[in-house]
Amino acid sequence: MVSARPTRSVGPPIAVLGIPWDANSSHRFGCAAAPGAIRAALHSGSGNDATEHGVHVVPELRDVGDLDLANERASTADADAITAALDEQLATGRRVISLGGDHAITYPILRAVARHHSDLTVVHIDAHPDLYDDFDDNPLSHASPFARALEDGCMARLVQLGIRTATQHSFEQAERFGVEMIGARDLASFDASTLRGPIYLTVDLDGLDPAVAPGVSHHEPGGLTVREVLDVIDTLPGPFVGADIVEYNPSRDVVEMTAMVAAKLLKEIAGRMLSTA
Ligand code: MN
Ligand code: MN
């Protein structure tokens, strides 16, 4: 019988925070129901609590529940509440894995992370660059979080992976802000050895192919495999200070398969955080 490896515990526990905020979506709603569905998949009993590296991560997670938000479109009060909640967790020394919500959550998150970590590198997996200067007259649109975060100087470097539907405007925005945009077809050119911590990872589940993650609002064929995303996670250097998983839309899912992908990514992200303090 193989004995269990001891749980590796490096630093304070990792906080898991649900952010049920989808009012800034531009096409469909439903991502606000994601945090509970991802938790249900994580604790469904279909798997164990260990990562692929044998790190027992689930006991290291401190679920701090869901934020109580008005979930109103373009609400700066909601955005400020998200920033305040992250700030509160980060002040305790915890790293936070946030469960969206749509991708709009990442701008208020990064405002808080930047207060605690300078020279931040953000690794961003997505079909879309989310760099719109203006989308539907909503500054907080889920199509704009990285434009807002770059305007605020929240990061030193933004590396986007899996992009496969960028408009000319998005390319211009990438040029303006010095964003490194690596398309899905060019993923092999991603050189993880150039990454330096602190690292923040944001995973929009539509960065994966809809064949493996159908539970998203925007299906964009030609995306990443689960294995490719896991390989990216494995390459991240420390300190790995935070992450989010966004755009899971349970109303679009098929037999909870995307929830299970999100739960798997949650585990492997947490495992990487614990081994790259
Ligand atoms: Mn996105
Ligand atoms: Mn997307």
Side-chain angles (χ1 to χ4, degrees):
M1 180 177 168
V2 178
S3 61
R5 298 186 203 182
T7 299
R8 292 190 57 191
S9 183
V10 181
I14 294 167
V16 175
L17 174 66
I19 305 182
W21 203 40
D22 67 2
N24 298 292
S25 287
S26 57
H27 178 56
R28 296 175 187 272
F29 301 99
C31 296
I38 297 170
R39 288 187 186 94
L42 181 69
H43 301 295
S44 68
S46 92
N48 59 51
D49 65 2
T51 68
E52 294 190 357
H53 297 283
V55 181
H56 289 260
V57 288
V58 176
E60 302 294 317
L61 302 176
R62 295 293 176 271
D63 195 332
V64 296
D66 288 357
L67 288 185
D68 184 13
L69 301 167
N71 197 22
E72 291 172 352
R73 185 180 187 273
S75 168
T76 55
D78 279 351
D80 289 347
I82 293 168
T83 302
L86 266 288
D87 205 19
E88 182 184 336
Q89 292 297 324
L90 294 167
T92 69
R94 288 178 177 172
R95 287 163 286 186
V96 182
I97 302 175
S98 301
L99 305 178
D102 66 37
H103 223 155
I105 71 167
T106 305
Y107 166 50
I109 289 171
L110 288 175
R111 287 193 304 201
V113 175
R115 288 179 192 164
H116 296 265
H117 301 283
S118 57
D119 292 327
L120 191 66
T121 290
V122 175
V123 177
H124 168 200
I125 293 171
D126 205 325
H128 315 89
D130 294 352
L131 288 168
Y132 278 95
D133 181 55
D134 172 50
F135 201 92
D136 292 343
D137 291 324
N138 179 3
L140 294 175
S141 170
H142 76 152
S144 301
F146 300 98
R148 298 291 90 79
L150 288 158
E151 289 162 2
D152 282 7
C154 293
M155 68 200 90
R157 189 176 173 199
L158 176 59
V159 181
Q160 301 184 319
L161 304 174
I163 308 298
R164 54 194 186 279
T165 173
T167 61
Q168 192 57 42
H169 169 71
S170 298
F171 284 116
E172 290 165 4
Q173 287 283 86
E175 177 83 18
R176 171 185 170 198
F177 291 111
V179 176
E180 297 159 68
M181 189 192 294
I182 298 175
R185 67 193 316 154
D186 299 318
L187 191 65
S189 70
F190 169 54
D191 182 3
S193 71
T194 70
L195 296 177
R196 298 287 178 272
I199 299 285
Y200 184 90
L201 174 67
T202 176
V203 181
D204 181 329
L205 290 168
D206 69 33
L208 290 107
D209 195 86
V212 297
V216 297
S217 300
H218 302 260
H219 282 180
E220 192 66 34
L224 307 188
T225 65
V226 176
R227 182 55 49 194
E228 285 172 328
V229 174
L230 294 174
D231 287 347
V232 169
I233 292 168
D234 271 343
T235 66
L236 299 178
F240 182 7
V241 299
D244 61 59
I245 300 169
V246 300
E247 296 285 346
Y248 174 47
N249 187 338
S251 73
R252 301 267 287 161
D253 209 356
V254 178
V255 294
E256 295 92 40
M257 64 189 281
T258 313
M260 196 57 76
V261 169
K264 168 110 179 165
L265 296 180
L266 171 58
K267 279 173 49 172
E268 297 299 329
I269 288 168
R272 188 66 186 170
M273 282 183 175
L274 290 170
S275 57
T276 55

